[in-house]
Amino acid sequence: MTRFELTDLITLLRESAGEDEGVDLDGDIHDVPFAELGYDSLAMLQTTGLVERQWAVLLDEEAVSEAETPRQYLDVVNRALSERTAA
């Protein structure tokens, strides 16, 4: 099974919404809220669209909107990937 990793998320965040100068996305950001990383709901919506297209997965909108940190977002994506593989 393929897993969606933090490096994948960071790449897509940079691609869809850029990166604030004062934020180091290369550090341990698993539990840092997206708001502190400079990403609002629109940025996450754009990122989610990229994830769905590039990873051929449909994400639960409610779960995505409740994911406040990269760790939580990764869990949502990997759960969907796991369910797709099991189907």
Side-chain angles (χ1 to χ4, degrees):
M1 175 183 83
T2 303
R3 290 196 49 84
F4 187 73
E5 301 291 341
L6 183 61
T7 54
D8 300 313
L9 176 58
I10 290 169
T11 298
L12 294 180
L13 284 169
R14 286 177 171 149
E15 183 178 327
S16 67
E19 179 178 357
D20 281 351
E21 288 184 29
V23 176
D24 179 16
L25 293 180
D26 295 320
D28 183 11
I29 61 164
H30 279 93
D31 298 311
V32 179
F34 286 115
E36 287 182 29
L37 296 172
Y39 298 105
D40 60 11
S41 59
L42 180 58
M44 295 313 300
L45 182 64
Q46 292 171 325
T47 301
T48 296
L50 288 175
V51 170
E52 289 181 334
R53 283 190 299 280
Q54 292 182 16
W55 288 76
V57 66
L58 183 60
L59 301 178
D60 180 299
E61 290 179 30
E62 185 176 336
V64 166
S65 68
E66 291 175 358
E68 296 179 3
T69 66
R71 183 182 311 276
Q72 292 169 341
Y73 191 88
L74 292 171
D75 288 345
V76 170
V77 175
N78 284 316
R79 190 174 327 118
L81 288 170
S82 179
E83 290 169 0
R84 182 190 69 191
T85 303

